[in-house]
Amino acid sequence: MTKFFLLLLGFILSSFTYAQFKLETIVHTQDSIIEEEEDEGSLTAETIENISAGSSNLDEILASSPAATTSRGPRSSSETPQVRGLDKNKIYAKVDGARENFQSGHSAFIALDTENLKTVKIQKSSSDISQTGSIGGGVEFITKDAKDFLKKGKSYGGEFGLKTSSANREENINAKAIQVSKNFDSYISLSSARASDTKLSDGSTLDNSSFKDFAALYKANLLKYYTLKLEYFKREDDAPTDPALNPPNKFLDLQSDNITTKQNLTVEYKKSGLKINSTFSKYEQEKIDRETDESTTKEIETIDFTVDKQIKTIKIGAEFFQDKLDSVNQNTSSLDVDGSVTPAYPKAISKNYMGYISKQQDLAKGLRLDLGLRADSYEMSSNDFSESKRASKLSKSFIMTTTPSEGFDVYAKYSEGFKAPSLVEVYPSGLHFPGDGFFVRDNFFKENPELEHETSITHEIGTKFSRSLSGEDLLELGLSFYNTEAKNYITREQIDRSVLDEENGTTQFVNEKEVELYGVEASVKYLYDQVETGLSYTKVRGKITSKDLFLEDLPADQYQLSVKYYLDQYDLKFGFESILTEEQNRVNEETLQRTEETPSYLVHNFMVSKRFNNFNFNFRINNVTNLKYRKHASFLYESQRDYKLGLKYKINTF
């Protein structure tokens, strides 16, 4: 029914508008969809539709940045952003200013329709003092406005697109209607996607990896200064309790049928250096256990209010966000450690307050200093505990930048990060996973009201170079070294027990006293005439220094080569990328941790896009050589050679 509605909307929109306008020729414009920290536009890529020609996941988009990727693939439901080795539960993630505070158990994917993305901003460290809730940076996804779609002089238009992918037979349909006037512009976007189980590069089929999505977005700009956004996302899948794993079929109680929904309302005001953003988000996840037919619904409600003001070289701001956690068990038979019936999560609330001030000062010609100070405070409580939990901290940042010559910058950074523990880390409860009935007892979540907030100190030095060598080209170089020392790093401690023990097993979030991460990032990009070539290298290492153990889930060292060829006169673009990932053998074999070492691999991807008047054609091949490989810490092989096709009919849009 949803597909029929989208097809009908696209047909009516196309017929109505085409009857009134003769479409003008579409010329090539290269959009910057990824903005890297303090270097806007330095990491450019094709438009979203060209990058993810037949996919609705974030993996291909974030792969364009040497500083960010996704982890825990290949199931779409398990993909989560990762920046410099830190997953979503260590960094902040936002969509149009709305916090994605929905990390829950093993599921951390971002409920987002990539069809409407305009920019992905990647903050690589905690040096942006205006951002809290992170020990090492974050990712912000920004959607397009109506004016980003329409050609100059056009007041309304629309788009209708189809995407398909061979590895999981994904079918994606999208329709948009756009309107622009002097004091009001808006658009509505509707998407429907359906995917089957993914075929992996080892020849097997990944059971329980299918999904069905529906997404709706309405965004309007009113009276020049106000923005209103309404968003709805729904996913139905049958992923395992931990979607990064693939448990044997006999463990039916590790499988569940899941319905995940997200609703969001965002109101924003921007004028004369003042920005006020207010959001409300509601996240629900219903899991129906296949063996017991037990239904559990978890709800997380987030409200967020931010205000920022730029006054010449000074910026001040404040933020308040609140998370409320609740869950409902229907027909439940789950028992807690002591044998009592318990909900999957208790009722709990977390309140976070933040205020900051930053100052930019030119000390001399070619020498700049950026200073920042932030105050964080949080409190959380649960109905199951009589005492509330609270703490506060001051964080500082310091950035010195010198410019010896035009286009050549050298910088040094010192920054402190802060992240309060989440509700699902402090107050988890209920059954984590069942025992096998013969040797291993059931394992239950255990609360930890003593869990401390995480803090970090990051030192970084680097250089950036951008210059034309011949007047007809552009050379860009980047090199950075960083070191992050984190305290009270939150990890999950799992204790399994045999049937001979008197107690059940437990899983609890705990603090590691000291953790160190360090790494190197290097990149070179050369643009000459119609050809753009880029090469990047990333390396990240990490250890639990208090225990002398590896942080074993960090990504492997990676080289990435990309070549893009633009034939603007034919509205034609070609792209090729090769990703060489080295062996990752930094695992703790002497412990009970699950992560295994991974061998080196070299993957090639190819893409081409062509515009025919009002039609866009995008084609992409991932894993061209059909290589059998596995990302580190994902436990599962990646998909086989994947053919992706995207077709879009455009009416008065770029």
Side-chain angles (χ1 to χ4, degrees), residues 8-9 465 560:
L8 181 61
L9 175 61
F465 177 85
Q560 183 170 334

Side-chain angles (χ1 to χ4, degrees), residues 305-334:
F305 180 82
T306 63
V307 56
D308 301 277
K309 176 63 176 179
Q310 185 79 43
I311 307 173
K312 295 183 179 180
T313 60
I314 297 177
K315 188 177 181 180
I316 58 175
E319 180 178 10
F320 167 77
F321 62 93
Q322 173 184 281
D323 296 328
K324 292 179 65 176
L325 171 66
D326 197 3
S327 66
V328 178
N329 282 31
Q330 300 171 356
N331 303 320
T332 180
S333 59
S334 295

Side-chain angles (χ1 to χ4, degrees), residues 402-459:
T402 180
T403 306
S405 62
E406 184 178 356
F408 179 39
D409 292 335
V410 179
Y411 62 85
K413 300 180 181 180
Y414 170 91
S415 58
E416 299 176 357
F418 173 89
K419 186 179 186 305
S422 67
L423 292 173
V424 294
E425 290 171 334
V426 176
Y427 303 118
S429 64
L431 182 68
H432 182 199
F433 61 85
D436 59 13
F438 298 98
F439 303 103
V440 181
R441 295 181 68 94
D442 294 344
N443 190 289
F444 291 86
F445 281 113
K446 184 179 179 182
E447 301 91 344
N448 185 2
E450 304 302 320
L451 194 68
E452 297 290 333
H453 57 268
E454 300 170 283
T455 61
S456 67
I457 296 177
T458 299
H459 299 86

Side-chain angles (χ1 to χ4, degrees), residues 99-128:
R99 288 187 175 271
E100 295 282 310
N101 293 349
F102 309 133
Q103 171 90 16
S104 55
H106 300 284
S107 180
F109 86 102
I110 293 183
L112 174 70
D113 183 7
T114 60
E115 175 66 32
N116 303 304
L117 283 183
K118 174 184 178 181
T119 304
V120 180
K121 291 185 177 181
I122 298 172
Q123 180 73 21
K124 296 187 293 183
S125 70
S126 53
S127 59
D128 185 353

Side-chain angles (χ1 to χ4, degrees), residues 516-530:
E516 181 182 20
L517 295 103
Y518 59 93
V520 180
E521 295 167 354
S523 64
V524 56
K525 185 185 297 183
Y526 184 67
L527 175 63
Y528 181 79
D529 195 19
Q530 296 174 308

Side-chain angles (χ1 to χ4, degrees), residues 583-643:
E583 178 186 15
Q584 165 58 299
N585 56 9
R586 295 173 292 281
V587 298
N588 302 309
E589 296 181 353
E590 69 277 12
T591 69
L592 297 177
Q593 295 174 338
R594 294 195 54 172
T595 305
E596 300 175 352
E597 63 181 67
T598 48
S600 175
Y601 59 84
L602 176 61
V603 177
H604 306 286
N605 305 318
F606 170 80
M607 61 211 77
V608 60
S609 66
K610 168 66 179 173
R611 297 187 179 186
F612 301 93
N613 293 323
N614 52 328
F615 281 95
N616 266 23
F617 166 85
N618 303 295
F619 179 68
R620 180 183 175 106
I621 307 176
N622 285 346
N623 193 7
V624 172
T625 61
N626 204 24
L627 180 73
K628 176 182 175 182
Y629 72 103
R630 179 171 62 89
K631 287 184 178 180
H632 189 68
S634 72
F635 305 104
L636 301 168
Y637 285 102
E638 293 299 303
S639 65
Q640 64 177 17
R641 182 189 297 118
D642 195 2
Y643 299 95

